[in-house]
Amino acid sequence: MLSVVPTPIGNLKDLTRRALTILQTTDYIAAEDTRHVQILLQRYEIKKPCLSFHGHSSDAQIAKIIGLLKEGKNIALVSDAGTPGISDPAYRLVRAVIENHMQLTCLPGPTAFLPALTASGFSTKKFLYLGFLPIKKGRQTLLNTLKNESRTVVFYESPHRILKTVDQLAAACGRERRIVLARELTKIHETIDRGTIGKIQMLLQKQPPRGEYVVVLEGIKVAQHHTSD
C-alpha cells in the first residue's frame, strides 16, 4: 500500500503519531529529497531504505515504485515539508497507484498555507489557493485578475521574488488592499506581517526578505469594510 504522509513544515514535533507509526513500520520511504528526509528520520531514530521521487522523476522510477507495491511492499510517500501533492508532484505517483487499482491512504497533516490563511484574520468561508505563481508567462495576467476577486487568495512566493510580487499586486489591486505575509511558520523565527499592500511594500524595502513566504490577499468585498492602515 502507498501511504501519503505529511511531514512537519518546520517544527519536527508536528509529526502526528499515525505518521510516525507508518514511517516506523513501512518497507520503503519515497522522498522528494532522500538527504533532506534523513533529518526527520534521525530525529525519530528511524532507519528505512529511501527511494527518490521528485518533480524530475522519470516514468521508469514510477514503474519501479509500482512494482514494489505489486510485490506487497508498503511505501510511505513524503515531501521535503508538508503534505505531498500540495505544490509538489506527488499526484503523478498517486495517479499511477489509482490506475493500477492498488491500495492508497492519505493522512491529514501539516501544510504551510492553511495556518497562514487562518492567522490572516481574513474570511475563510471561500478561498482561492494558487500554489506558486508562474515565474514569467501569465504572471501579471493572473495578478490582474485578483483586482476583483471576492475570495481570500493564498499563494507561495520565494524570497528573491516577494518584493516584485508585492509591487505587482500593488499595481494590480491598489496599495490599500489588505495583505498578510507569513514566513518561517512553526519555526523559531516565525513571522506574520499584516497591513495594506503599501505598508508591506515599505516593510520589505527595510527588511531583506528571507525564507519562503505565504501570501494571503483579502477578498475585495471584505476589504471594502476596512479602513486603510
Side-chain angles (χ1 to χ4, degrees), residues 61-228:
Q61 182 66 1
I62 293 178
K64 176 182 177 180
I65 295 173
I66 293 297
L68 289 170
L69 292 169
K70 287 181 177 179
E71 292 175 8
K73 302 297 184 182
N74 290 313
I75 299 177
L77 174 63
V78 302
S79 65
D80 281 350
T83 301
I86 304 298
S87 295
D88 83 7
Y91 76 91
R92 293 178 58 211
L93 182 55
V94 170
R95 182 169 58 193
V97 169
I98 294 170
E99 290 174 349
N100 281 273
H101 308 288
M102 307 179 78
Q103 282 188 298
L104 168 72
T105 186
C106 297
L107 278 64
T111 187
F113 81 85
L114 283 177
L117 175 63
T118 304
S120 72
F122 300 155
S123 173
T124 56
K125 186 175 182 180
K126 292 182 179 180
F127 66 90
L128 176 64
Y129 170 67
L130 298 176
F132 284 95
L133 299 181
I135 295 176
K136 293 182 180 179
K137 187 176 181 181
R139 180 184 180 87
Q140 188 61 58
T141 300
L142 175 60
L143 290 172
N144 287 340
T145 66
L146 302 182
K147 179 179 181 179
N148 298 314
E149 178 57 65
S150 61
R151 295 168 291 182
T152 300
V153 180
V154 57
F155 59 89
Y156 296 139
E157 190 53 280
S158 66
H160 61 275
R161 281 195 294 269
I162 186 64
L163 182 54
K164 179 180 179 181
T165 296
V166 173
D167 287 344
Q168 291 176 320
L169 276 174
C173 303
R175 298 181 76 250
E176 299 305 310
R177 187 83 163 265
R178 294 176 64 86
I179 193 175
V180 168
L181 295 189
R183 69 179 184 89
E184 301 293 299
L185 291 173
T186 78
K187 300 177 184 179
I188 295 175
H189 300 293
E190 175 177 297
T191 303
I192 300 177
D193 294 311
R194 303 175 176 88
T196 62
I197 293 177
K199 177 182 176 180
I200 297 300
Q201 277 181 302
M202 292 187 289
L203 183 66
L204 288 173
Q205 290 167 359
K206 294 177 182 178
Q207 300 177 359
R210 294 179 181 176
E212 285 193 349
Y213 287 80
V214 184
V215 181
V216 189
L217 178 71
E218 191 171 28
I220 191 168
K221 290 182 180 179
V222 178
Q224 290 173 348
H225 296 290
H226 290 282
T227 57
S228 62

